[in-house]
Amino acid sequence: MYSIIVVPPPTTEDRTTPTQVRLAPGERLTFGRGPACAVRIPHEGVSRRAGEITAQGAFWVLSNLSGRQTYVVENPEGAGEHIKVGPGRLEAPVPFEFSRIVLPAAGDLIALDVWAPRHDYLRAAGDIEGTTTAPAFSVDRSKRYFAVLAALCEPRLRGEPHAPLPTVDQVAERLRPHWGAASRTSVQWNIDYLAVKLRLKPGPEEAAPGPRLNGKKESLVSLALRFDLVREEDLVVLPRPGGVAR
């Protein structure tokens, strides 16, 4: 069973339909400028034997076989998440389901996409005695505060990982078709409430004197995207673009 899919950089021959290389667990794929590599990248700035990808069940590892260049593995679906694999580092595990290996090459940046679509899950082991484990984050998707959180996360879920966050006024405008009383004040109240509910700042009875939390919206979005509190399918709580109700 194949578990890893590698999409090499497009060439002049396959710009419309990129080649895909599928790896089964335990299989390896080398990439670089040299003719012996399974994936050839004919660029003078890429090492002759630049790196190796190894499938490991539901994930994969990257070996940087270059002598000088650091490779960056990005998560295009995340909030700017990435890992760095230094020169000579062997079998660095990559935790992203969809990844992009970025190779610096004499002024250019060359990318290989790698997918790890296979998911393995723990099978239910039957009832276990004892109290139920408390949820890490308690959110109610039917509440207005969740719609505010979804609106804050929307640009990064629909677009680029570094997309700017909407302003409070933009969130209010976005939610007004479903929430006629949405205003700058009410949206800001919900953002403050979320910061306390998700424990980004202490509650009023615990708060010490001092400045308010800086970067509150950025912190909320980062937490929500890192722990999947808001997923792309959760955007159904928002009005359709243009104000048409769902």
Side-chain angles (χ1 to χ4, degrees):
M1 175 183 178
Y2 296 114
S3 62
I4 304 298
I5 303 172
V6 180
V7 182
T11 65
T12 55
E13 290 78 20
D14 64 5
R15 288 191 184 278
T16 56
T17 308
T19 302
Q20 293 187 4
V21 182
R22 297 173 180 265
L23 302 178
E27 291 185 336
R28 299 171 180 266
L29 178 146
T30 56
F31 59 88
R33 190 175 84 247
C37 292
V39 172
R40 287 202 63 210
I41 305 175
H43 191 293
E44 62 180 6
V46 175
S47 299
R48 286 183 292 273
R49 193 162 176 259
E52 184 176 74
I53 294 168
T54 306
Q56 298 282 358
F59 72 101
W60 57 283
V61 297
L62 172 64
S63 294
N64 183 346
L65 305 179
S66 73
R68 298 180 181 178
Q69 301 293 348
T70 293
Y71 301 157
V72 174
V73 184
E74 301 174 338
N75 176 12
E77 298 179 315
E81 296 173 301
H82 69 277
I83 62 172
K84 295 191 292 186
V85 182
R89 170 73 191 275
L90 299 178
E91 298 190 345
V94 177
F96 311 134
E97 179 177 339
F98 174 39
S99 309
R100 179 167 295 132
I101 306 173
V102 181
L103 312 177
D108 294 324
L109 294 177
I110 297 175
L112 293 85
D113 291 339
V114 183
W115 306 338
R118 172 179 157 186
H119 297 168
D120 293 340
Y121 294 98
L122 180 68
R123 294 183 179 179
D127 294 335
I128 300 177
E129 295 182 0
T131 58
T132 303
T133 303
F137 304 101
S138 178
V139 293
D140 185 339
R141 285 166 168 75
S142 67
K143 301 296 185 181
R144 284 175 177 164
Y145 69 75
F146 185 80
V148 170
L149 185 59
L152 289 173
C153 295
E154 183 180 26
R156 294 187 181 176
L157 286 172
R158 293 198 190 279
E160 298 297 323
H162 299 291
L165 300 185
T167 66
V168 173
D169 289 327
Q170 288 171 332
V171 172
E173 184 67 23
R174 182 75 179 89
L175 297 177
R176 201 162 286 133
H178 281 179
W179 178 15
S183 65
R184 178 182 179 84
T185 300
S186 59
V187 168
Q188 187 61 59
W189 186 92
N190 278 275
I191 290 173
D192 291 337
Y193 175 74
L194 281 163
V196 174
K197 184 175 182 62
L198 300 181
R199 301 187 179 277
L200 294 180
K201 61 179 293 187
E205 70 281 358
E206 305 167 349
R212 298 176 66 186
L213 179 70
N214 292 324
K216 191 181 303 181
K217 291 191 301 178
E218 186 70 42
S219 297
L220 283 171
V221 170
S222 176
L223 181 74
L225 295 181
R226 277 189 294 146
F227 291 99
D228 285 339
L229 301 186
V230 181
R231 301 181 177 90
E232 188 172 357
E233 56 264 32
D234 292 319
L235 297 181
V236 297
V237 303
L238 302 177
R240 290 186 182 276
V244 180
R246 291 181 184 274

